[in-house]
Amino acid sequence: PASSAAVPAGGRGWAWVVGAIVSIHLIVALTLIVNHVSHPEIVAGSDAWHMSYFHQFAQGGHSYYPRGDVAHMTDGYTPLASQIFGWTIRLFGPDVRWVRLAASLFGLAGMALVGGCVFRLTGNRLIGFVAAALAAGLETKWFVDVGPNTVHATFSVLALYLFLRDPQLSWRTVALAGLALFASFWSKQLGLAYMVAGTVYVLVHDWRKGLALAAGLAALTLAGIVYFESRPDAQFLYWVFEMNQNQPIIWSRLWTVVFSEILTRKYAVSVAFIAAGLLAYERSWKGL
């Protein structure tokens, strides 16, 4: 909140410098979006893979066919992103540019929501803009990827924004944030962790609303599972919840990957700022 106070003239000058520097991320992001949306060439193997089963969704199918089925593509993600891109193909045709455009709209919304979250936390529009611009450069072209990640990330941040917008957690906010959390999970399994985190957050503030949120998310999940498991030739439970058992975690390498490759290398600057912020502003477990 203190960041919204008057800033000395010299500080305003530096603020404009910082804003100009981080704007480079947005310029690069917009350039990549225009480039990918204006060219039909497939430049990544993952694009071809995802487009193959998005087309199946567009035709009324899915991606959970039995093992050994050589007539269809299979994949293990939850279905919402595939359904969204399938509807896009059904409306505009199987040109990858339309799917890239749909992904880009989610990506731009995700950046705006990141900025909105930081603005809600600080009351400072400049810092919100800086956050949105940095979100554009967090991961290479995440905002235009033809796959579930862009949709999943945006729904996840939407849930966080809804919680920050209404700290009192009205029933309307709990319901809308719950739908966003479910959409995050129904786009990619990682959202299951966010559903749990969101439920715990609401439980801490109001146990009745927390229980209602948990029940609602469980009901939506059960209904979705029953629907897709009942589709013709669908092995939904296997592909979504069992298949990844064939890719076990190598525990002896976990610390090397998480610490050496991610926390102290790929995201070292972000981690340093987060640690500094926690040390500067938080003194209690409840605050954390």
Side-chain angles (χ1 to χ4, degrees):
S3 63
S4 61
V7 180
R12 286 196 295 270
W14 279 111
W16 281 104
V17 171
V18 171
I21 291 173
V22 299
S23 294
I24 295 172
H25 288 299
L26 286 176
I27 294 171
V28 171
L30 291 172
T31 302
L32 282 172
I33 288 173
V34 170
N35 178 275
H36 280 248
V37 170
S38 59
H39 291 82
E41 293 82 7
I42 296 288
V43 296
S46 62
D47 284 5
W49 174 262
H50 291 307
M51 284 295 291
S52 297
Y53 64 83
F54 293 164
H55 192 259
Q56 292 174 181
F57 276 87
Q59 295 177 319
H62 51 81
S63 61
Y64 311 111
Y65 294 96
R67 287 166 285 177
D69 184 334
V70 297
H72 298 93
M73 303 293 287
T74 54
D75 204 2
Y77 288 115
T78 38
L80 181 58
S82 301
Q83 289 177 301
I84 291 171
F85 294 133
W87 294 328
T88 302
I89 292 172
R90 184 179 298 179
L91 286 172
F92 301 107
D95 192 323
V96 71
R97 288 174 290 187
W98 291 110
V99 176
R100 287 171 176 163
L101 177 61
S104 299
L105 294 176
F106 275 95
L108 292 171
M111 298 176 207
L113 285 167
V114 168
C117 287
V118 174
F119 171 68
R120 291 285 175 181
L121 288 167
T122 65
N124 189 303
R125 296 186 185 280
L126 173 66
I127 296 177
F129 172 78
V130 169
L134 292 178
L138 186 63
E139 182 75 24
T140 306
K141 74 178 188 66
W142 69 269
F143 42 80
V144 73
D145 272 349
V146 176
N149 290 328
T150 309
V151 177
H152 160 76
T154 298
F155 278 127
S156 304
V157 184
L158 173 60
L160 176 60
Y161 175 79
L162 292 169
F163 283 139
L164 291 172
R165 189 184 64 172
D166 179 16
Q168 303 306 314
L169 296 180
S170 66
W171 280 107
R172 181 173 181 269
T173 292
V174 171
L176 291 174
L179 289 173
L181 288 168
F182 176 74
S184 166
F185 163 60
W186 213 236
S187 301
K188 188 177 182 180
Q189 287 93 319
L190 179 58
L192 181 60
Y194 303 150
M195 286 206 307
V196 173
T199 301
V200 170
Y201 175 74
V202 177
L203 277 169
V204 168
H205 288 78
D206 188 320
W207 66 268
R208 293 181 180 84
K209 292 178 181 177
L211 289 178
L213 176 61
L217 291 174
L220 286 172
T221 301
L222 181 61
I225 290 173
V226 169
Y227 172 76
F228 274 95
E229 186 68 15
S230 65
R231 296 289 301 277
D233 297 323
Q235 293 183 347
F236 183 80
L237 287 172
Y238 169 77
W239 285 107
V240 173
F241 297 109
E242 297 179 34
M243 183 267 293
N244 287 318
Q245 295 178 15
N246 299 322
Q247 302 170 330
I249 295 174
I250 304 174
W251 292 102
S252 60
R253 292 192 58 215
L254 188 61
W255 177 255
T256 301
V257 174
V258 172
F259 183 77
S260 301
E261 299 296 328
I262 298 176
L263 296 182
T264 61
R265 184 174 300 177
K266 186 174 184 180
Y267 294 124
V269 175
S270 298
V271 170
F273 276 121
I274 291 169
L278 293 177
L279 289 173
Y281 292 107
E282 296 297 350
R283 292 291 184 270
S284 69
W285 174 251
K286 184 176 182 180
L288 290 173

